[in-house]
């Protein structure tokens, strides 16, 4: 099993920045992709950014140019640097890990963290 713990959320003003962290533990070699998803009240959970263990990244259109996903392999941690935040970025952000492809094809289980709240004020 893989355990994921997110941190780094908080309250910021529009235009500000936050960096989210997700620490993976357990059977970490069972995964080769990690990503960030978010869910705002009344909306479906949506992809924000994905990174595979080779370093390839993919972003939602809403995140391109503002957000950056990265890995610290030594610490089994994935980050999401969020800049130029907008009120519409307000959501609970979830870390996800899986084995498969960065497009979402999964082999075996998907693992999710508990989420961290990001609130962006006007």
């Amino acid at each position: 099993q893989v355990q994921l713990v997110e941190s780094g959320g908080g309250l910021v003003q529009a235009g500000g920045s936050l960096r989210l962290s997700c620490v993976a533990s357990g059977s970490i070699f069972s995964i080769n992709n990690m990503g960030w998803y978010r869910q705002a009240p009344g909306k479906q959970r949506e992809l924000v950014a994905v990174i595979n263990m080779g370093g390839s990244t993919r972003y939602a259109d809403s995140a391109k140019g503002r957000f950056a996903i990265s890995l610290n392999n030594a610490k089994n941690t994935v980050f999401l640097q969020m800049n130029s935040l907008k009120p519409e970025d307000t959501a609970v952000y979830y870390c996800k890990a899986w084995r498969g492809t960065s497009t979402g094809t999964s082999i075996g289980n998907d693992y999710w963290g508990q989420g961290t709240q990001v609130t962006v004020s006007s």
Side-chain angles (χ1 to χ4, degrees), residues 5-12 17-22 36 79-80 82 85 89-94 115-120:
V5 180
E6 304 100 330
S7 63
L11 173 64
V12 297
S17 298
L18 285 173
R19 190 180 75 160
L20 307 183
S21 300
C22 174
W36 289 96
F79 302 96
L80 184 68
M82 303 188 294
L85 284 162
D89 295 317
T90 296
V92 177
Y93 284 70
Y94 297 91
T116 184
Q117 177 71 48
V118 171
T119 302
V120 184

Side-chain angles (χ1 to χ4, degrees), residues 4-5 7 19-25 28 34 36 51 53 69-80 95:
L4 304 173
V5 180
S7 63
R19 190 180 75 160
L20 307 183
S21 300
C22 174
V23 180
S25 61
I28 59 175
M34 297 185 72
W36 289 96
I51 188 167
M53 300 312 168
I69 189 169
S70 61
L71 280 171
N72 185 328
N73 287 314
K75 296 183 178 180
N76 302 316
T77 303
V78 63
F79 302 96
L80 184 68
C95 183

Side-chain angles (χ1 to χ4, degrees), residues 8 11 15 60 66 85 87-88 91 98 105 108 112:
L11 173 64
R66 299 190 299 125
L85 284 162
E88 49 263 46
W98 70 100
T105 300
W112 293 90

Side-chain angles (χ1 to χ4, degrees), residues 7-51:
S7 63
L11 173 64
V12 297
Q13 291 184 307
S17 298
L18 285 173
R19 190 180 75 160
L20 307 183
S21 300
C22 174
V23 180
S25 61
S27 301
I28 59 175
F29 294 111
S30 67
I31 62 175
N32 66 341
N33 295 277
M34 297 185 72
W36 289 96
Y37 291 70
R38 67 187 182 189
Q39 188 166 21
K43 295 184 178 180
Q44 297 272 60
R45 189 171 297 186
E46 64 178 359
L47 170 74
V48 178
V50 174
I51 188 167

